[in-house]
């Protein structure tokens, strides 16, 4: 874990972003007009229960949550091996029937077109290097990892999402014990979002959970690329962290993930728009 670098520093990430950017340029101009009925999966508070607080900031702020706080314990850092090197991402525990799902970016699961799947995938909920034990709920190991074919084959930015199915730890399922955030698809492109993650490049150090709040919009106002953005200065390491819609200071509905930022001096973070693709991924993995 000490050796793990942000996935954005990998050559695989650079290649996937280049391939995906070229593919996005060929997208036909259209508006985001999909008006299908939203699908809402409610959050689940788990065995540890709940307490409250909020605030808005388009610049990242450290909410200084106690590790037992619902948002902290359902957020965490992912560690994995890709191309023989160790990397880190962010992730979010999401409520599901199987009670084992962690959502993250597709590029934290697979390196995209011409690439390979990650291995040794582990998740540390409520990671905080200010604690004597930065892993207050231990390290959970994935038994399987999943992303979309369009990400694997084409590095498609609109499908840069992934799910890790965690094994039990001390007999506990991760959702049953820690709780899980909800999920919302087809919510529209313009919403107040709260994005969470572990940015690891200066001025951040990857040791704490940070939050940005902002109003989402189409990533490209002239071409519907099935991606949305919010103003935020997250950088390397925040990839895979969840965007929570209707966040009440504890619980919310995952409506995006940190997919890309305009590095090296980020002012926005982008996410796939959670439409049928996200719902298909949820439905495929929810009972695992």
């Amino acid at each position: 874990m000490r050796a793990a670098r942000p996935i954005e520093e990998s050559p695989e990430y650079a290649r996937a972003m280049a391939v995906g950017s070229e593919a996005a340029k060929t997208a036909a101009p259209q508006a985001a007009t999909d008006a299908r009925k939203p699908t809402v999966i409610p959050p689940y508070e788990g065995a540890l229960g709940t307490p409250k607080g909020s605030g808005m900031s388009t610049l990242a702020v450290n909410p200084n949550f106690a590790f037992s706080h619902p948002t902290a314990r359902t957020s965490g850092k992912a560690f994995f091996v890709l191309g023989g090197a160790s990397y880190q991402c962010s992730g979010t525990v999401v409520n599901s029937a199987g009670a084992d799902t962690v959502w993250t970016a597709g590029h934290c699961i697979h390196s995209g077109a011409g690439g390979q799947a990650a291995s040794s995938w582990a998740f540390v909920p409520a990671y905080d290097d200010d604690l004597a034990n930065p892993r207050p709920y231990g390290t959970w190991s994935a038994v399987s990892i999943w992303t979309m074919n369009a990400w694997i084959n084409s590095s498609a930015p609109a499908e840069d999402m992934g799910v890790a199915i965690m094994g039990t730890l001390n007999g506990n399922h991760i959702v049953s014990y820690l709780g899980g955030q909800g999920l919302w698809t087809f919510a529209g492109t313009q919403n107040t979002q709260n994005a969470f993650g572990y940015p690891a490049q200066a001025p951040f150090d990857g040791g704490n959970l940070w939050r940005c709040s902002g109003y989402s919009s189409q990533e490209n106002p002239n071409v519907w690329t099935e991606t949305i953005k919010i103003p935020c200065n997250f950088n390397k390491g925040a990839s895979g962290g969840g965007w929570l819609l209707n966040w009440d200071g504890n619980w919310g509905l995952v409506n995006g993930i940190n997919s890309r930022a305009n590095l090296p001096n980020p002012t926005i973070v982008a996410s796939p728009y959670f439409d049928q693709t996200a719902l298909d991924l949820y439905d495929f993995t929810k009972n695992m």
Side-chain angles (χ1 to χ4, degrees):
M1 290 182 180
R2 280 191 292 269
R5 295 177 292 160
I7 187 60
E8 297 89 345
E9 294 182 1
S10 71
E12 290 88 351
Y13 176 82
R15 186 191 65 247
M17 292 300 108
V19 171
S21 295
E22 285 303 309
K25 290 176 184 177
T26 65
Q30 66 182 80
T33 56
D34 197 328
R36 273 177 279 189
K37 185 178 180 180
T39 296
V40 179
I41 311 300
Y44 174 68
E45 69 175 15
L48 299 184
T50 304
K52 283 206 185 239
S54 187
M56 294 276 292
S57 177
T58 57
L59 292 178
V61 295
N62 184 342
N64 288 313
F65 293 138
F67 69 83
S68 59
H69 186 280
T71 308
R73 70 181 192 246
T74 55
S75 301
K77 291 189 72 167
F79 298 89
F80 53 93
V81 174
L82 194 60
S86 297
Y87 293 104
Q88 57 182 276
C89 275
S90 303
T92 307
V93 184
V94 172
N95 186 19
S96 65
D100 294 317
T101 52
V102 170
W103 278 62
T104 188
H107 65 262
C108 301
I109 295 289
H110 191 283
S111 56
Q116 59 188 294
S119 62
S120 304
W121 211 94
F123 184 70
V124 181
Y127 183 93
D128 186 343
D129 68 0
D130 294 330
L131 301 176
N133 174 13
R135 300 180 291 162
Y137 295 109
T139 302
W140 301 66
S141 297
V143 295
S144 63
I145 52 177
W146 302 90
T147 186
M148 305 304 294
N149 285 334
W151 174 257
I152 293 172
N153 297 327
S154 306
S155 300
E159 304 207 8
D160 184 16
M161 58 186 82
V163 172
I165 305 301
M166 312 311 298
T168 57
L169 182 65
N170 299 324
N172 293 310
H173 293 270
I174 194 166
V175 174
S176 300
Y177 185 56
L178 299 178
Q181 299 293 341
L183 187 87
W184 192 336
T185 61
F186 298 110
T189 60
Q190 298 180 317
N191 293 290
T192 298
Q193 304 278 1
N194 286 273
F196 293 88
Y198 285 83
Q201 185 182 26
F204 312 105
D205 66 1
N208 303 102
L209 180 69
W210 290 75
R211 173 175 68 92
C212 278
S213 297
Y215 200 62
S216 62
S217 59
Q218 288 186 202
E219 184 179 11
N220 186 324
N222 300 314
V223 178
W224 175 229
T225 57
E226 297 179 69
T227 55
I228 56 177
K229 65 182 178 183
I230 58 170
C232 181
N233 62 331
F234 278 172
N235 58 26
K236 297 176 180 179
S239 280
W243 293 16
L244 298 184
L245 190 59
N246 288 4
W247 183 63
D248 66 2
N250 293 289
W251 304 101
L253 305 163
V254 175
N255 186 237
I257 52 94
N258 301 323
S259 172
R260 298 177 323 287
N262 55 337
L263 300 171
N265 299 304
T267 57
I268 64 103
V269 62
S271 167
Y273 176 64
F274 271 29
D275 54 13
Q276 191 63 43
T277 299
L279 186 56
D280 286 347
L281 182 58
Y282 180 84
D283 285 341
F284 185 81
T285 58
K286 66 183 179 183
N287 293 311
M288 292 183 178

